[in-house]
Amino acid sequence: MSVKLPSFTTASIPNAPRAIAKGSSLADLLNDNAICFMARNIELVYGEFNSTQFVEACRLAPSDLALMAKGQFIAATLHQYLPAHYQTAIDILLRTLIDADESSEEFGLAGFYYLPFSFYIANYGLDAKYNNGSDPFDLSMQAQYQLTQRFSAEFCIRPFLITQQARTLETLNEWQFDSNRHIRRLVSEGTRPKLPWGKRLPAIINDPTPILPFLCHLKDDSSLYVRRSVANSLGDIAKDHPELVFDLLDSWVGSANTELKWLIRHAVRYYAKKDHARALALRIAAK
Protein backbone atom coordinates (compact mmCIF):
# COMPACT_ATOMS: atom_id res chain seq x y z
CA MET A 1 0.00 0.00 0.00
CA SER A 2 1.44 3.36 -0.99
CA VAL A 3 1.71 6.19 1.51
CA LYS A 4 -0.41 9.25 0.71
CA LEU A 5 -0.59 11.88 3.40
CA PRO A 6 -3.33 14.48 3.91
CA SER A 7 -2.54 17.90 2.48
CA PHE A 8 -3.55 20.15 5.40
CA THR A 9 -1.11 22.90 6.35
CA THR A 10 -2.03 23.50 10.01
CA ALA A 11 -2.28 20.97 12.84
CA SER A 12 -5.30 18.73 12.44
CA ILE A 13 -6.65 15.42 13.70
CA PRO A 14 -9.03 13.04 11.93
CA ASN A 15 -12.73 13.04 12.63
CA ALA A 16 -14.04 10.22 14.75
CA PRO A 17 -17.53 8.79 15.37
CA ARG A 18 -19.40 9.73 18.52
CA ALA A 19 -19.53 6.04 19.41
CA ILE A 20 -17.90 2.88 18.09
CA ALA A 21 -20.21 1.02 15.74
CA LYS A 22 -21.15 -2.57 16.46
CA GLY A 23 -18.50 -4.89 15.08
CA SER A 24 -15.82 -2.18 15.20
CA SER A 25 -13.00 -1.78 17.69
CA LEU A 26 -11.66 1.21 19.58
CA ALA A 27 -8.32 0.32 18.02
CA ASP A 28 -9.82 1.50 14.73
CA LEU A 29 -9.42 5.04 16.06
CA LEU A 30 -5.69 4.55 15.43
CA ASN A 31 -6.15 3.34 11.89
CA ASP A 32 -4.07 4.07 8.79
CA ASN A 33 -5.77 7.42 8.33
CA ALA A 34 -4.87 8.52 11.86
CA ILE A 35 -1.27 7.45 11.35
CA CYS A 36 -1.08 9.43 8.11
CA PHE A 37 -2.48 12.47 9.93
CA MET A 38 0.19 12.01 12.58
CA ALA A 39 2.94 11.81 9.99
CA ARG A 40 1.69 14.95 8.23
CA ASN A 41 1.44 16.89 11.48
CA ILE A 42 4.99 15.95 12.41
CA GLU A 43 6.53 16.75 9.04
CA LEU A 44 4.94 20.21 9.18
CA VAL A 45 7.07 21.07 12.22
CA TYR A 46 10.04 18.74 11.66
CA GLY A 47 11.12 18.62 8.04
CA GLU A 48 13.59 15.77 8.61
CA PHE A 49 10.84 13.37 9.61
CA ASN A 50 10.65 10.33 7.32
CA SER A 51 6.88 10.15 6.98
CA THR A 52 6.86 7.29 4.51
CA GLN A 53 9.00 5.00 6.63
CA PHE A 54 7.07 5.93 9.77
CA VAL A 55 3.71 5.06 8.21
CA GLU A 56 5.06 1.84 6.74
CA ALA A 57 6.51 0.84 10.12
CA CYS A 58 3.19 1.53 11.85
CA ARG A 59 1.45 -0.68 9.29
CA LEU A 60 3.49 -3.61 10.62
CA ALA A 61 1.40 -3.60 13.80
CA PRO A 62 -0.47 -6.89 14.26
CA SER A 63 -4.05 -6.51 13.08
CA ASP A 64 -5.50 -7.90 16.32
CA LEU A 65 -3.97 -5.31 18.67
CA ALA A 66 -6.42 -3.71 21.09
CA LEU A 67 -6.49 0.06 21.54
CA MET A 68 -3.92 0.38 24.32
CA ALA A 69 -1.49 -2.04 22.68
CA LYS A 70 -1.90 -0.20 19.37
CA GLY A 71 -1.10 3.07 21.12
CA GLN A 72 2.04 1.52 22.61
CA PHE A 73 3.12 0.21 19.21
CA ILE A 74 2.78 3.63 17.60
CA ALA A 75 4.60 5.29 20.52
CA ALA A 76 7.53 2.92 20.07
CA THR A 77 7.53 3.66 16.34
CA LEU A 78 7.53 7.41 17.04
CA HIS A 79 10.57 6.86 19.23
CA GLN A 80 12.27 5.10 16.34
CA TYR A 81 11.74 7.97 13.87
CA LEU A 82 11.89 11.07 16.06
CA PRO A 83 15.19 12.44 17.43
CA ALA A 84 16.60 10.25 20.19
CA HIS A 85 16.87 13.24 22.55
CA TYR A 86 13.65 13.30 24.59
CA GLN A 87 13.48 17.07 24.98
CA THR A 88 13.81 17.57 21.23
CA ALA A 89 11.30 14.85 20.42
CA ILE A 90 8.67 15.96 22.93
CA ASP A 91 8.98 19.54 21.69
CA ILE A 92 8.20 18.31 18.18
CA LEU A 93 5.16 16.37 19.36
CA LEU A 94 3.82 19.30 21.37
CA ARG A 95 4.15 21.58 18.37
CA THR A 96 1.80 19.26 16.45
CA LEU A 97 -1.06 19.69 18.96
CA ILE A 98 -4.24 21.33 17.78
CA ASP A 99 -5.46 24.39 19.67
CA ALA A 100 -6.92 23.56 23.08
CA ASP A 101 -10.67 23.96 23.56
CA GLU A 102 -11.22 24.80 27.22
CA SER A 103 -14.94 25.15 26.62
CA SER A 104 -15.21 21.44 25.88
CA GLU A 105 -16.58 19.60 28.92
CA GLU A 106 -15.39 16.16 27.86
CA PHE A 107 -13.31 14.76 25.01
CA GLY A 108 -14.92 12.69 22.30
CA LEU A 109 -13.38 9.68 20.66
CA ALA A 110 -11.32 11.88 18.33
CA GLY A 111 -9.00 12.63 21.24
CA PHE A 112 -7.72 9.05 21.24
CA TYR A 113 -5.56 10.15 18.31
CA TYR A 114 -3.21 11.43 21.02
CA LEU A 115 -3.01 8.14 22.94
CA PRO A 116 0.44 7.32 21.45
CA PHE A 117 1.67 10.72 22.69
CA SER A 118 0.57 9.72 26.18
CA PHE A 119 2.54 6.49 26.00
CA TYR A 120 5.53 8.33 24.55
CA ILE A 121 5.68 10.54 27.65
CA ALA A 122 5.20 7.58 29.98
CA ASN A 123 7.80 5.40 28.27
CA TYR A 124 10.56 7.92 27.59
CA GLY A 125 9.87 10.86 29.89
CA LEU A 126 10.97 9.37 33.20
CA ASP A 127 14.49 8.15 32.56
CA ALA A 128 17.38 10.57 32.07
CA LYS A 129 19.02 8.11 29.68
CA TYR A 130 16.57 9.25 26.99
CA ASN A 131 17.39 12.91 27.65
CA ASN A 132 21.18 13.07 27.36
CA GLY A 133 21.51 12.38 31.07
CA SER A 134 19.32 15.27 32.22
CA ASP A 135 16.30 14.69 34.46
CA PRO A 136 13.23 14.94 32.17
CA PHE A 137 10.64 15.19 34.97
CA ASP A 138 9.74 18.86 34.52
CA LEU A 139 9.61 18.48 30.73
CA SER A 140 7.22 15.58 31.12
CA MET A 141 5.00 17.41 33.58
CA GLN A 142 4.66 20.32 31.17
CA ALA A 143 4.01 17.93 28.29
CA GLN A 144 1.19 16.33 30.27
CA TYR A 145 -0.16 19.76 31.16
CA GLN A 146 -0.47 20.48 27.43
CA LEU A 147 -1.68 17.03 26.40
CA THR A 148 -4.47 16.80 28.96
CA GLN A 149 -6.09 19.90 27.44
CA ARG A 150 -6.56 17.99 24.16
CA PHE A 151 -7.04 14.39 25.27
CA SER A 152 -6.10 13.31 28.77
CA ALA A 153 -2.89 12.60 30.62
CA GLU A 154 -4.60 10.28 33.09
CA PHE A 155 -2.75 7.27 31.67
CA CYS A 156 0.73 8.73 31.29
CA ILE A 157 0.87 10.42 34.69
CA ARG A 158 0.50 7.10 36.49
CA PRO A 159 4.07 5.84 36.01
CA PHE A 160 5.22 9.14 37.49
CA LEU A 161 3.00 8.59 40.53
CA ILE A 162 4.35 5.07 40.88
CA THR A 163 8.05 5.93 40.63
CA GLN A 164 8.14 9.55 41.83
CA GLN A 165 5.02 9.97 43.92
CA ALA A 166 6.13 12.89 46.09
CA ARG A 167 7.34 15.02 43.17
CA THR A 168 4.25 14.28 41.12
CA LEU A 169 1.84 15.04 43.96
CA GLU A 170 3.65 18.33 44.52
CA THR A 171 2.92 19.30 40.91
CA LEU A 172 -0.70 18.15 41.17
CA ASN A 173 -1.08 20.20 44.33
CA GLU A 174 -0.54 23.30 42.18
CA TRP A 175 -2.68 22.05 39.31
CA GLN A 176 -5.78 21.53 41.47
CA PHE A 177 -6.18 25.33 41.45
CA ASP A 178 -5.69 25.74 37.69
CA SER A 179 -8.29 27.76 35.78
CA ASN A 180 -8.62 25.00 33.16
CA ARG A 181 -11.09 22.24 34.05
CA HIS A 182 -9.08 19.63 32.13
CA ILE A 183 -6.04 20.31 34.31
CA ARG A 184 -8.11 20.10 37.49
CA ARG A 185 -9.70 16.86 36.33
CA LEU A 186 -6.27 15.33 35.74
CA VAL A 187 -5.58 15.84 39.44
CA SER A 188 -8.52 13.65 40.45
CA GLU A 189 -8.61 11.23 37.50
CA GLY A 190 -4.87 10.70 37.20
CA THR A 191 -4.64 9.74 40.87
CA ARG A 192 -7.58 7.32 40.81
CA PRO A 193 -6.21 4.19 42.50
CA LYS A 194 -7.88 1.75 40.08
CA LEU A 195 -8.44 3.76 36.91
CA PRO A 196 -9.97 1.56 34.17
CA TRP A 197 -7.36 0.77 31.47
CA GLY A 198 -4.67 2.53 33.52
CA LYS A 199 -1.88 1.15 35.66
CA ARG A 200 -2.97 0.65 39.24
CA LEU A 201 -1.30 2.76 41.92
CA PRO A 202 -0.24 0.28 44.63
CA ALA A 203 0.97 2.87 47.15
CA ILE A 204 -2.24 4.91 46.88
CA ILE A 205 -4.38 1.78 46.96
CA ASN A 206 -2.66 0.89 50.22
CA ASP A 207 -2.80 4.44 51.63
CA PRO A 208 -5.07 6.90 49.82
CA THR A 209 -4.60 9.70 52.35
CA PRO A 210 -2.12 11.66 50.15
CA ILE A 211 -4.82 12.26 47.52
CA LEU A 212 -7.74 12.98 49.85
CA PRO A 213 -6.94 16.73 50.09
CA PHE A 214 -7.30 16.96 46.29
CA LEU A 215 -10.69 15.27 46.39
CA CYS A 216 -11.87 17.41 49.29
CA HIS A 217 -10.98 20.54 47.35
CA LEU A 218 -12.32 19.42 43.97
CA LYS A 219 -15.61 18.09 45.34
CA ASP A 220 -16.98 21.63 44.98
CA ASP A 221 -15.54 22.24 41.52
CA SER A 222 -17.66 24.28 39.13
CA SER A 223 -17.41 21.53 36.49
CA LEU A 224 -19.46 18.34 36.61
CA TYR A 225 -16.66 16.81 34.54
CA VAL A 226 -14.34 17.27 37.52
CA ARG A 227 -16.89 16.39 40.20
CA ARG A 228 -17.75 13.12 38.46
CA SER A 229 -14.05 12.24 38.49
CA VAL A 230 -13.90 12.95 42.22
CA ALA A 231 -16.86 10.64 42.80
CA ASN A 232 -15.25 7.89 40.75
CA SER A 233 -11.99 8.23 42.66
CA LEU A 234 -13.83 7.97 45.97
CA GLY A 235 -15.60 4.90 44.62
CA ASP A 236 -12.21 3.36 43.82
CA ILE A 237 -10.90 4.12 47.30
CA ALA A 238 -14.03 2.72 48.95
CA LYS A 239 -13.41 -0.70 47.45
CA ASP A 240 -10.40 -1.06 49.76
CA HIS A 241 -11.18 1.48 52.49
CA PRO A 242 -14.98 1.71 52.72
CA GLU A 243 -15.19 3.13 56.24
CA LEU A 244 -12.68 5.86 55.41
CA VAL A 245 -14.82 7.00 52.48
CA PHE A 246 -18.12 6.62 54.32
CA ASP A 247 -16.78 8.72 57.21
CA LEU A 248 -15.59 11.41 54.81
CA LEU A 249 -18.92 11.53 52.96
CA ASP A 250 -20.80 11.61 56.27
CA SER A 251 -18.85 14.76 57.16
CA TRP A 252 -19.97 16.39 53.90
CA VAL A 253 -23.60 15.36 53.61
CA GLY A 254 -25.10 17.59 56.30
CA SER A 255 -24.18 20.83 54.52
CA ALA A 256 -24.11 19.48 50.96
CA ASN A 257 -25.75 21.37 48.10
CA THR A 258 -27.51 19.63 45.21
CA GLU A 259 -24.29 19.09 43.25
CA LEU A 260 -22.40 17.61 46.19
CA LYS A 261 -25.33 15.36 47.09
CA TRP A 262 -25.17 13.93 43.57
CA LEU A 263 -21.44 13.32 44.00
CA ILE A 264 -22.02 11.49 47.28
CA ARG A 265 -24.69 9.26 45.76
CA HIS A 266 -22.43 8.50 42.79
CA ALA A 267 -19.43 7.73 45.01
CA VAL A 268 -21.24 5.01 47.01
CA ARG A 269 -23.11 3.34 44.15
CA TYR A 270 -20.88 0.21 44.22
CA TYR A 271 -21.75 -0.58 47.83
CA ALA A 272 -25.34 0.61 47.46
CA LYS A 273 -25.87 -2.06 44.81
CA LYS A 274 -24.67 -4.56 47.41
CA ASP A 275 -27.21 -3.20 49.93
CA HIS A 276 -24.46 -2.02 52.27
CA ALA A 277 -26.18 -0.26 55.17
CA ARG A 278 -23.92 2.82 55.32
CA ALA A 279 -23.97 3.30 51.56
CA LEU A 280 -27.75 3.11 51.49
CA ALA A 281 -28.00 5.54 54.39
CA LEU A 282 -25.72 8.00 52.60
CA ARG A 283 -27.80 7.80 49.45
CA ILE A 284 -30.94 8.55 51.45
CA ALA A 285 -29.27 11.44 53.29
CA ALA A 286 -27.98 12.85 50.02
CA LYS A 287 -31.31 12.87 48.19
Side-chain angles (χ1 to χ4, degrees), residues 215-284:
L215 305 181
C216 290
H217 170 69
L218 294 171
K219 77 181 191 303
D220 298 312
D221 197 88
S222 60
S223 170
L224 174 60
Y225 184 44
V226 177
R227 298 195 304 272
R228 184 186 299 117
S229 174
V230 171
N232 288 336
S233 183
L234 289 167
D236 278 3
I237 295 169
K239 291 176 182 177
D240 298 288
H241 307 276
E243 297 306 317
L244 173 66
V245 172
F246 295 152
D247 287 346
L248 181 62
L249 298 180
D250 268 333
S251 73
W252 295 350
V253 72
S255 59
N257 59 19
T258 300
E259 289 78 14
L260 183 54
K261 286 179 179 178
W262 176 90
L263 186 155
I264 292 169
R265 295 196 305 272
H266 195 71
V268 300
R269 65 194 186 282
Y270 172 81
Y271 278 104
K273 290 178 181 177
K274 296 179 177 293
D275 293 326
H276 190 286
R278 289 197 70 185
L280 293 173
L282 277 163
R283 286 183 68 86
I284 292 171

Side-chain angles (χ1 to χ4, degrees), residues 3-223:
V3 174
K4 185 176 181 180
L5 302 185
S7 58
F8 56 79
T9 57
T10 57
S12 183
I13 64 175
N15 293 325
R18 295 182 63 85
I20 293 297
K22 185 177 181 180
S24 299
S25 165
L26 282 170
D28 294 337
L29 296 169
L30 295 175
N31 58 17
D32 195 75
N33 184 51
I35 291 166
C36 287
F37 263 73
M38 197 172 296
R40 177 60 177 162
N41 279 319
I42 294 173
E43 72 175 18
L44 285 174
V45 301
Y46 177 55
E48 299 174 42
F49 189 67
N50 194 322
S51 296
T52 298
Q53 289 189 13
F54 169 73
V55 172
E56 290 176 342
C58 287
R59 286 172 175 171
L60 297 177
S63 60
D64 60 349
L65 287 183
L67 175 66
M68 303 300 272
K70 186 78 171 287
Q72 286 281 16
F73 187 95
I74 297 172
T77 308
L78 282 169
H79 183 63
Q80 182 181 353
Y81 287 95
L82 287 172
H85 183 212
Y86 176 73
Q87 181 173 359
T88 303
I90 203 64
D91 177 65
I92 290 168
L93 291 178
L94 292 179
R95 286 160 58 200
T96 72
L97 297 177
I98 60 173
D99 291 339
D101 181 8
E102 202 278 332
S103 66
S104 170
E105 185 71 10
E106 299 186 37
F107 298 110
L109 293 178
F112 278 97
Y113 166 87
Y114 289 120
L115 183 63
F117 289 36
S118 177
F119 286 130
Y120 193 95
I121 296 167
N123 295 345
Y124 309 109
L126 270 167
D127 196 327
K129 73 179 182 182
Y130 297 114
N131 197 45
N132 290 353
S134 297
D135 180 9
F137 180 85
D138 290 337
L139 291 171
S140 295
M141 288 295 106
Q142 284 307 305
Q144 291 174 87
Y145 185 92
Q146 295 299 325
L147 179 64
T148 208
Q149 297 179 59
R150 280 87 171 172
F151 169 48
S152 177
E154 66 199 60
F155 301 120
C156 56
I157 204 165
R158 302 178 78 74
F160 293 82
L161 284 162
I162 292 168
T163 62
Q164 301 189 50
Q165 178 173 302
R167 292 179 80 186
T168 307
L169 291 178
E170 184 177 353
T171 299
L172 295 177
N173 186 55
E174 298 176 5
W175 288 357
Q176 68 177 317
F177 302 106
D178 199 273
S179 61
N180 188 296
R181 73 192 75 187
H182 298 297
I183 305 299
R184 301 194 304 273
R185 179 185 179 270
L186 177 60
V187 176
S188 53
E189 195 72 5
T191 58
R192 277 184 63 179
K194 297 180 176 180
L195 178 71
W197 294 0
K199 289 185 176 181
R200 293 196 169 189
L201 303 177
I204 292 176
I205 290 173
N206 182 58
D207 177 17
T209 55
I211 69 169
L212 291 182
F214 300 152
L215 305 181
C216 290
H217 170 69
L218 294 171
K219 77 181 191 303
D220 298 312
D221 197 88
S222 60
S223 170

